[in-house]
Amino acid sequence: MPTPPVPPAVSSKEPTAATPPRRTRSRVLISSCAAALALTLGACGTTGTTTERVADTSTLPEATTTSAAATSEVSLPTATPVVTVSAAPAANRALATLDTLAVKGRAPKTGYDRDLFGQAWTDDVTVEGGRNGCDTRNDILRRDLINIALKPGSNGCAVQSGTLADPYAGTTIPFVRGQQTSSAVQIDHVVALSDAWQKGAQQLSPAQRADFANDPRNLQATDGPTNQQKGDGDAATWLPPNRSYRCTYVARQVEVKAAYQLWVTQAEKDAITRVLTSCGAAVPTPTTRQIPNTRTSTATPIPEPTYTPPTAEAPSSVYYANCSAVRAAGADPIYAGQPGSSSKLDRDGDGVACE
């Protein structure tokens, strides 16, 4: 029997096709090069958005990079530096802005959730740094750290390492990106999200709340323990341990609350005023209007007042078991003599309970 002819060899990955004429192959080659060039330009990241948008970059595994990725790095702009407030007239300006804020009690915290302020560190916002292709956390790290090294292949976004001169604690903290080390430097909301929720942010739109949570004016890199110590406190309950930064800190709170039309409590306003006056702000002295003397010789004598015995004050029917109940009712702070006030709620004995 004659041996059958052997078929030509075929690749197991892609089917073969008839070889095109020489001119057609040239066109295919040119088109492929053009497509490759377009992909290369697109990888430079000048208009794209980052895929790294999580609340804490320490949860991300370290990505492997290549020398080709490193050559496509670009420089992203850094957020506007924070203006230092340590003396007048900057302190006076902050105090004048404070006087424009409404003074009210806290609204109930009912319904508060972090998700109401948008995805953590999202780049999809309209404040400074928004839609620049880099998540907000890294934007603030690039602003607040010095001697930084950027992660290769991140298009100039992710901070690999650096040094933080922490303004809150007055200490120097080395930063190294990693699952076990990134949390050493955290990003604080100068006006805490929960505090904002109880002082007007409930009336903001979802987009406005996302802007608030990612506004560089309201963000500061600090060490983790200090950030945890602050919690959601306002100026009446927490100030940075570094006293030299307190004027700048409260001035930033005033600026942010004015920008988003949030209010302050009376205790909070008093605390901010004390801090600003300690660094040069001048509190206006109340003026007394002089009433001209219009007495004449024919003036009618003023009758002597009659004495009326005081009546017993009816006991208040309002009772709060503790300050948590006061805040849940939106009645804090309670001043001495107001319904529900009691000495057990006023721990420091200054006449203001649950402040």
Side-chain angles (χ1 to χ4, degrees):
M1 177 180 295
T3 302
V6 179
V10 179
S11 171
S12 61
K13 295 182 179 180
E14 297 291 341
T16 59
T19 302
R22 183 176 301 275
R23 181 173 300 176
T24 304
R25 291 180 61 187
S26 300
R27 292 175 180 171
V28 171
L29 180 59
I30 293 172
S31 299
S32 300
C33 292
L37 178 61
L39 290 173
T40 302
L41 293 175
C44 292
T46 55
T47 58
T49 57
T50 181
T51 58
E52 186 175 313
R53 295 178 180 173
V54 295
D56 190 345
T57 53
S58 65
T59 61
L60 294 180
E62 294 298 321
T64 57
T65 58
T66 63
S67 58
T71 60
S72 65
E73 292 297 322
V74 295
S75 296
L76 290 174
T78 57
T80 302
V82 175
V83 176
T84 300
V85 178
S86 57
N92 280 326
R93 288 194 295 268
L95 189 60
T97 304
L98 174 65
D99 286 337
T100 68
L101 303 182
V103 179
K104 304 180 185 179
R106 286 177 179 268
K109 192 177 177 179
T110 307
Y112 168 74
D113 191 282
R114 171 61 179 85
D115 292 341
L116 293 170
F117 288 81
Q119 180 184 353
W121 309 138
T122 178
D123 188 38
D124 188 19
V125 289
T126 59
V127 293
E128 182 184 7
R131 303 190 177 105
N132 67 351
C134 187
D135 62 274
T136 303
R137 173 180 163 85
N138 277 294
D139 282 340
I140 300 305
L141 291 177
R142 290 200 320 277
R143 182 195 68 181
D144 292 348
L145 271 60
I146 61 174
N147 302 324
I148 64 174
L150 296 176
K151 183 178 180 180
S154 68
N155 294 329
C157 169
V159 176
Q160 186 75 27
S161 63
T163 303
L164 172 66
D166 183 10
Y168 285 5
T171 57
T172 300
I173 304 171
F175 170 78
V176 178
R177 176 184 171 86
Q179 290 186 351
Q180 303 301 321
T181 56
S182 288
S183 60
V185 173
Q186 299 180 11
I187 309 300
D188 172 53
H189 287 96
V190 179
V191 176
L193 303 185
S194 173
D195 180 67
W197 179 259
Q198 297 172 78
K199 298 174 183 176
Q202 297 184 36
Q203 283 73 51
L204 299 178
S205 68
Q208 289 172 323
R209 287 197 292 266
D211 283 349
F212 175 86
N214 293 275
D215 194 327
R217 294 174 295 182
N218 194 34
L219 299 172
Q220 176 62 51
T222 184
D223 78 299
T226 301
N227 188 38
Q228 298 303 317
Q229 181 190 58
K230 172 186 174 180
D232 61 355
D234 60 17
T237 58
W238 189 89
L239 290 170
N242 181 15
R243 291 179 175 272
S244 65
Y245 192 73
R246 289 182 176 180
C247 286
T248 300
Y249 176 79
V250 299
R252 292 177 67 181
Q253 289 188 324
V254 170
E255 178 186 12
V256 170
K257 290 204 168 186
Y260 291 88
Q261 299 181 338
L262 306 180
W263 67 74
V264 293
T265 64
Q266 186 61 57
E268 180 183 6
K269 181 175 182 178
D270 292 344
I272 293 175
T273 300
R274 286 194 298 269
V275 173
L276 291 175
T277 53
S278 73
C279 54
V283 179
T285 303
T287 57
T288 303
R289 185 170 61 91
Q290 296 294 330
I291 302 176
N293 186 359
T294 58
R295 292 179 60 186
T296 64
S297 58
T298 58
T300 303
I302 300 175
E304 290 293 330
T306 57
Y307 174 75
T308 303
T311 57
E313 183 178 348
S316 173
S317 61
V318 180
Y319 171 76
Y320 298 109
N322 49 46
C323 285
S324 296
V326 175
R327 295 190 181 95
D332 61 316
I334 300 179
Y335 296 90
Q338 289 184 333
S341 65
S342 66
S343 59
K344 74 173 184 178
L345 300 178
D346 184 10
R347 295 181 179 177
D348 56 3
D350 63 350
V352 183
C354 300
E355 51 189 306

